[in-house]
Amino acid sequence: MNTDRTLKAAPAGKLDVQAVRAQFPILSETVHGRPFVFLDSGASAQKPAVVIDCMADAMRHQYANIHRGLYWMSERTSEAYEAVRGQVAAFLNAPSHEEIIFTRNSTEAINLVAHSLGSLMKPGQAVLISEMEHHANLIPWQMLRDRSGVELRVAPITDEGDLDMEAYGRLLEDGKVALVAMTHMSNVLGTVTPAREIADRAHEAGALVLFDGSQAAVHRRTDVQALGADFYTFTGHKLYGPTGIGVLWGRRALLDDMPPFLGGGDMISSVTFEKSTWANVPHKFEAGTPAIVETIGLGAAIRWVESIGFDAIEAHEQALTAYALEKLADVPGLKVVGAPKQRGGVISFTMADVHPHDIATLLDRNGIAVRAGQHCAEPLMRRLGLHATTRASFGVYTDTHDIDVLAETLARIRDFFV
Amino acid sequence: MNGAAQDLYDRQIVERARNPLYAGELPVPDLQGEGRNPLCGDRTRLDITLEGHHISQIRHRTRGCALCIAAADMLAERLGGCGLEEARAVGARFSAMLVAPDDPAETTVQKAAKRIENPPEGIPSLGGMEPLMAVRFHKARIRCVELPWVALKEALAHVRV
């Protein structure tokens, strides 16, 4: 097996992937005595040194609770925290930093909308999702349905793994859909959904639209205005930032009308035992002490991603995904799941009758980290007629050597079992 | 494959998963049980017939990984003809062995297996299930070999011995 990374040519694109890799300390670790090959960025990405250092520096040199202290250290920390709100607004091309709400993760952001906007919905209205949603964009709507009588509709996908746009249109026809909540990129199939068209059709039918951008925001530039979105969510830890920090963006007029999600400190305007009034957005939706250090870490991650630039990131990941599809096609018995029109850096596959758990364990023993199972998308697995897949997902630091090692090891695993 | 992986994927396990001896269903089972793993979608269903307080036959329908299929098949082999009380005791011993704390002096799976082969008196032997004990060193996979035992527990839940 080729173990010399420097001999491999970088894929087409402007990105110097070896220079990028050098910024991720964890990539020089070994696992079971082998070089660590990390192909599970879709679950959570690794962190560059600047993010790690920034968070440690915050705790060493500039930390206190925010929005309440009347002293220098608290004010500086508040400034650092609020500056990230502005950064995120620019990152999403949101009209205002006041439309950026910090949450724990994308799941919490979707739950916030399901709870808060959902409380304004009435029986007879519907929420429309797709067959390829992560459980994070399914369960909150099921819970809303069960407590409020709102209908939950599911738009089918094609066998290739694209949203069936005709069926989608039909589900909107009766005008009952109040909200379309859809993935912007599937965590299983890699499908990048046609967000603008989804949004336009939703709006024509009088529905609002939320995009779950957990996967998409990592791989390409996100412009919530160009997408025509009303709500957009993403999570920090997939964007080379820390865990514990996610983002909900929503249009100001909608957020103003929505009741709070969680109650507590920081989200109020005035409080008596009889009645309380709420702070303005975004603070109305941020109860309690937030993830201060993690938010500052997210700021560092966004700065880092923007220093590389989405043109380079997207070109690199597209070239790499094409390379991987080609290499994996050569592995006997391997079948890639889905063939969407537009695919991000996520490839799910099956290999002969070898179970994904067995594949993942044997890859792990060779230092290779992949995800195996249902990927928090059980209904999608059923739709595909599968009960589990193995998934390789790529990040900005993934290189062709990682793919070569994966393909070679898979071929050996197949020989072992078949 | 390197050494540790080969320990887990012992030839006996891989062979058994490929050609299970007790796969299928029974026409008129006295007991049935199912184990499911929501993380991966794996599932084992057990059909059991009884003669008095003894298990006469077990068949399993397993949709799962090599470890899960082999574990289900080895369960069926080990428990065929067993008294219900003994079946429960074997299950308890199997589970206990899977979560037994690591002995610092014991560095190889082979050493662990040796101990398992010679249980103290009065404790039922695991019979042909020893190769599965390598899963002790792969914590993420313990659930795979436990799934058939979850199904057995369900099947026996309403049977008084």
Side-chain angles (χ1 to χ4, degrees):
Chain A
M1 186 183 295
N2 181 3
T3 52
D4 187 355
R5 215 165 223 119
T6 56
L7 293 178
K8 303 297 289 186
K14 294 169 196 161
L15 193 93
D16 180 352
V17 68
Q18 298 315 322
V20 167
R21 293 181 66 86
Q23 297 178 57
F24 286 79
I26 205 167
L27 295 180
S28 52
E29 294 289 320
T30 55
V31 171
H32 305 306
R34 308 285 178 107
F36 183 37
V37 173
F38 185 67
L39 293 169
D40 197 22
S41 294
S44 196
Q46 299 298 348
K47 321 303 175 198
V50 286
V51 169
I52 300 166
D53 294 345
C54 167
M55 292 174 74
D57 281 351
M59 286 185 282
R60 280 208 175 90
H61 304 299
Q62 192 192 65
Y63 179 80
N65 210 334
I66 56 168
H67 298 156
R68 27 174 87 62
L70 294 174
Y71 47 89
W72 185 90
M73 193 59 92
S74 171
E75 285 174 4
R76 295 294 84 74
T77 311
S78 297
E79 280 169 15
Y81 176 87
E82 287 300 328
V84 179
R85 210 185 292 281
Q87 261 187 286
V88 173
F91 179 74
L92 295 176
N93 192 31
S96 164
H97 67 278
E98 291 175 345
E99 298 175 333
I100 302 300
I101 297 160
F102 290 127
T103 61
R104 196 154 50 98
N105 45 36
S106 198
T107 297
E108 187 177 274
I110 295 169
N111 273 275
L112 189 161
V113 178
H115 185 92
S116 183
L117 184 76
S119 73
L120 304 173
M121 292 183 192
K122 305 265 182 299
Q125 292 188 306
V127 173
L128 174 55
I129 62 172
S130 83
E131 274 183 324
M132 58 182 152
E133 300 308 322
H134 188 283
H135 293 166
N137 194 34
L138 161 59
I139 308 299
W141 307 114
Q142 270 184 350
M143 290 165 72
L144 171 66
R145 175 196 67 193
D146 294 346
R147 70 175 174 263
S148 76
V150 167
E151 185 192 346
L152 180 59
R153 295 183 182 177
V154 183
I157 57 167
T158 64
D159 290 340
E160 287 73 34
D162 283 307
L163 183 66
D164 180 338
M165 291 304 285
E166 272 182 43
Y168 171 64
R170 281 196 298 279
L171 287 164
L172 287 167
E173 264 170 11
D174 64 7
K176 289 183 177 173
V177 175
L179 177 74
V180 171
M182 199 89 49
T183 183
H184 192 189
M185 177 179 151
S186 163
N187 67 311
V188 176
L189 300 166
T191 310
V192 178
T193 55
R196 180 73 217 198
E197 196 182 344
I198 289 168
D200 286 347
R201 294 229 207 154
H203 292 150
E204 282 163 24
L208 298 170
V209 60
L210 173 149
F211 289 114
D212 172 359
S214 305
Q215 297 290 335
V218 181
H219 301 292
R220 48 186 59 207
R221 184 175 289 107
T222 305
D223 180 335
V224 292
Q225 298 186 70
L227 292 175
D230 298 297
F231 297 98
Y232 198 93
T233 72
F234 72 92
T235 192
H237 71 95
K238 295 190 203 289
L239 190 68
Y240 312 104
T243 52
I245 178 68
V247 168
L248 169 67
W249 167 80
R251 283 203 291 115
R252 177 70 191 249
L254 298 167
L255 296 175
D256 280 339
D257 287 345
M258 285 159 54
F261 175 40
L262 301 174
D266 233 21
M267 52 75 72
I268 44 81
S269 172
S270 72
V271 178
T272 67
F273 283 116
E274 289 71 36
K275 185 177 167 52
S276 299
T277 56
W278 315 133
N280 289 329
V281 294
H283 303 292
K284 178 170 77 173
F285 294 108
E286 293 180 6
T289 296
I292 299 168
V293 175
E294 289 77 4
T295 305
I296 291 168
L298 173 64
I302 289 176
R303 258 194 313 279
W304 183 81
V305 165
E306 287 177 337
S307 75
I308 291 173
F310 273 110
D311 289 341
I313 291 173
E314 198 177 338
H316 167 66
E317 291 180 357
Q318 285 300 311
L320 197 70
T321 304
Y323 181 80
L325 287 169
E326 206 174 289
K327 288 295 277 193
L328 292 176
D330 291 341
V331 178
L334 189 145
K335 269 192 199 158
V336 171
V337 178
K341 292 188 186 105
Q342 270 197 76
R343 183 197 284 273
V346 168
I347 300 176
S348 286
F349 58 87
T350 59
M351 190 170 72
D353 289 331
V354 188
H355 191 284
H357 270 186
D358 298 324
I359 294 173
T361 295
L362 289 169
L363 287 175
D364 172 61
R365 300 309 302 187
N366 287 273
I368 306 165
V370 295
R371 177 102 184 248
Q374 299 198 329
H375 315 293
C376 296
E378 195 177 334
L380 173 60
M381 288 292 138
R382 206 164 293 130
R383 162 64 181 85
L384 297 168
L386 300 167
H387 79 277
T389 69
T390 308
R391 181 187 74 179
S393 55
F394 313 137
V396 63
Y397 39 64
T398 312
D399 66 3
T400 51
H401 178 80
D402 292 332
I403 308 295
D404 292 343
V405 174
L406 173 71
E408 285 166 25
T409 312
L410 283 170
R412 287 193 292 129
I413 290 171
R414 188 180 179 275
D415 291 345
F416 180 72
F417 275 101
V418 178
Chain B
M1 297 306 109
N2 66 22
Q6 268 172 346
D7 282 340
L8 180 59
Y9 289 94
D10 178 277
R11 214 63 235 176
Q12 285 180 66
I13 292 178
V14 175
E15 277 306 318
R16 185 61 80 96
R18 195 179 294 155
N19 300 305
L21 305 173
Y22 299 90
E25 46 196 314
L26 296 173
V28 192
D30 295 308
L31 303 172
Q32 286 186 306
E34 183 177 275
R36 278 173 176 272
N37 183 349
L39 286 180
C40 59
D42 285 1
R43 190 180 66 198
T44 299
R45 286 179 179 156
L46 294 183
D47 284 358
I48 299 172
T49 53
L50 298 177
E51 277 176 26
H53 286 313
H54 278 73
I55 292 171
S56 51
Q57 284 197 88
I58 304 187
R59 292 290 180 274
H60 66 95
R61 281 163 287 165
T62 303
R63 185 182 73 185
C65 59
L67 299 180
C68 188
I69 296 170
D73 215 63
M74 290 170 172
L75 175 152
E77 182 174 60
R78 173 67 181 82
L79 299 188
C82 250
L84 292 176
E85 213 164 330
E86 187 187 354
R88 286 197 178 104
V90 174
R93 176 166 165 72
F94 185 74
S95 294
M97 288 308 302
L98 286 176
V99 298
D102 293 342
D103 179 347
E106 177 185 275
T107 51
T108 66
V109 176
Q110 282 76 12
K111 276 187 192 169
K114 204 175 284 173
R115 211 179 54 190
I116 294 158
E117 280 165 21
N118 304 301
E121 214 171 313
I123 294 177
S125 109
L126 293 177
M129 298 190 293
E130 285 107 35
L132 292 172
M133 282 301 137
V135 85
R136 282 181 66 204
F137 303 99
H138 300 259
K139 301 282 183 213
R141 304 299 303 277
I142 286 179
R143 178 82 182 157
C144 305
V145 299
E146 274 188 333
L147 210 59
W149 294 91
V150 171
L152 180 78
K153 207 170 176 185
E154 187 185 288
L156 299 184
H158 304 294
V159 183
R160 293 179 63 189
V161 180

